[in-house]
Amino acid sequence: MTLRNMGFLAGMSIIASLVAGTIGANANDSVNNAVADPNQWAVAGHDYGNTRYSPLKQINTENAGKLSLVYSFSLASLRSNESSPVVIGKTLYVTTSWGPKYVYALDAATGARKWTYEPEIPDDVLQYACCDVNNRGVSYADGKLFIGRLDGKLTALDATTGKELWTTTVVDYKQGAVITSPPLVVRDKVITGFGGGEYGVRGALLAFDINTGKQVWQTFTVPAPGEEGSDTWKGDTGLHGGGAAWLVGSYDAKSDTVYWGTSNPGPWNTGVRSTGDGNFGKLTNLYTASTLALDPNTGKIKWYIQGTPADAWDYDGVNELLLANLKIDGKDVPSLMKADRNGFFFVANRETGKVLSAEKYVASTNWASKWDISTMRAVEDPDKRPGPGHPAKDICPNLIGGKNWQPMSFNPQTGLVYIPTNNVCMDWSVSDVAYKRGVFYLGAEFPTKEGPGGFLGELIAWDPVAHKKVWGIKQDLPFNGGTLSTGGNLVFYGNLHGDFHAINAKDGKVLWKKNLGSGIGAGPVTYSVDGKQYVAVVVGRTASLPAFLGDVGKKMTAAAPEGGALFVFAVQ
């Protein structure tokens, strides 16, 4: 993980609103107020720090076994339903797959439908969406909802009526650039990235005016020839170099800094864009597989941390940045945490960007023996780095990563991070490839292998200070659902079989389980209406991704049928 100061800002400080107990005055006031109300779930990750922790505790370890269904709601859309609902007041907002096909506003306590928005999504979006026709939800601010779309557009709706206020084009989706995750609202700007690392897009983050949809700034995440960092690419290959910022961002009001992760470089054949081996020198392919810190006012990159320089394994750096304060060596340290796809869990001081630790959170990780914080590089195993004329075997983790997009959560009571991990490996060989707009730009073969130990996934409770697993629940499949942690000492998560669980956050004991009929990838949420706490989760098994995973993928699709529904539970 290479750290460079870009010179735009000497330092920064990021405070997770709920964990640190403060809310900065520089963020959007309506979002701040919504996050400050513990009864609501105002942001996809609950707060600007993406902690996915709620202090609600009416549902707790004593009564979780009494959870029962309050209502279910059909989303009327199949495949990869991955939305985490947003709850503002007594209204729950949820999106569906396919674009989204629908955005629904429901009575959060009863499920009664208030309104439905149906955007006009082109029929051909599937061919430009690498990893399914998913949508992960909305963002809320100033009485509006904001939705990124598979056709590369960003739409604003009136949150009360569902009326479309504006729609703007972010990117041409026909180059393979789709939007699947909710944007980030900072003051009067709506910030979004897009996907497409597998199609050879040139990644970027863009900001739009919250009231008009007019573009305010654009920052490319891969430099063009002549720009700073362009010498980290072979020739002009960075123009199709990926680095897409397709997942969610985090924000710190105190330092007025936005964080975002960037995807793999393109193509997957490192000989095209770098040296094709571990002696890549300066050809690290900035700013791919990185964490970026940006000024939300201008989009300027303040500094960056590159997780996997000259990535050869599709180890996207997009996973969410979780912001919290940790007690390290007796001191409260403002921290940034990331469970990188490359199998290492990073803790950095979020004020300085200094990496404090980087340890394997997936035990089977073998592409590197360790990650050295003194050199800021992984100590790679040369036999595990594929390149031209050098196929590699039994590389762990697989390209889906030690953790994929499914969100982790942090509980300040236990001090633990709850991570849905994968235990899958692969072989890898490269081949010649040429860029063609709108089609995969890979140049690699990557047959999947099962990881060691007889399991393919594991929910782990990770101590980010002691750098160790505290407990784990092994799974027979990978790619399981995101997590929610609560003040009731509970962790909620689902798996590909459709089993939704409530777990004791301290010891991992399963307290309650319910099968919901289709695989679960989405992160659950919790909220309270009129003094009653609810837990909600969206189900709908992934459909496209298993095609990348051979026999493991066949097990994934056989585990449960496709689906699309919202389920809401409470202790009756």
Side-chain angles (χ1 to χ4, degrees), residues 401-447:
K403 173 190 172 297
N404 206 270
W405 70 268
Q406 294 90 343
M408 63 186 185
S409 60
F410 173 74
N411 188 323
Q413 294 180 332
T414 63
L416 301 178
V417 183
Y418 303 96
I419 314 170
T421 71
N422 305 306
N423 181 37
V424 187
C425 304
M426 62 184 175
D427 296 340
W428 193 288
S429 61
V430 302
S431 56
D432 293 337
V433 63
Y435 174 77
K436 184 178 180 180
R437 191 175 190 272
V439 300
F440 276 150
Y441 183 47
L442 304 180
E445 299 291 333
F446 40 91

Side-chain angles (χ1 to χ4, degrees), residues 29-162:
D29 288 341
S30 68
V31 179
N32 277 342
N33 293 336
V35 169
D37 184 346
N39 298 308
Q40 303 187 123
W41 191 278
V43 181
H46 183 271
D47 47 69
Y48 273 127
N50 277 311
T51 66
R52 300 192 68 87
Y53 169 78
S54 168
L56 295 179
K57 57 185 178 181
Q58 185 181 87
I59 302 171
N60 53 58
T61 53
E62 299 299 319
N63 61 16
K66 299 178 181 178
L67 282 164
S68 61
L69 182 67
V70 177
Y71 66 86
S72 63
F73 181 85
S74 172
L75 298 177
S77 184
L78 299 177
R79 302 178 70 117
S80 291
N81 279 290
E82 300 178 355
S83 178
S84 284
V86 163
V87 180
I88 302 295
K90 296 184 179 182
T91 302
L92 180 150
Y93 303 99
V94 64
T95 63
T96 76
S97 56
W98 285 104
K101 186 177 182 180
Y102 303 109
V103 180
Y104 296 109
L106 309 178
D107 184 301
T110 68
R113 184 159 53 99
K114 296 185 175 183
W115 54 255
T116 303
Y117 172 71
E118 184 177 1
E120 295 182 5
I121 303 295
D123 293 335
D124 61 352
V125 291
L126 178 59
Q127 71 188 81
Y128 302 112
C130 148
C131 308
D132 225 333
V133 285
N134 38 24
N135 183 279
R136 299 187 182 94
V138 305
S139 295
Y140 168 85
D142 294 352
K144 304 177 182 68
L145 301 179
F146 304 95
I147 306 102
R149 299 169 26 169
L150 286 178
D151 59 356
K153 297 181 186 297
L154 180 67
T155 291
L157 305 178
D158 184 298
T160 301
T161 66

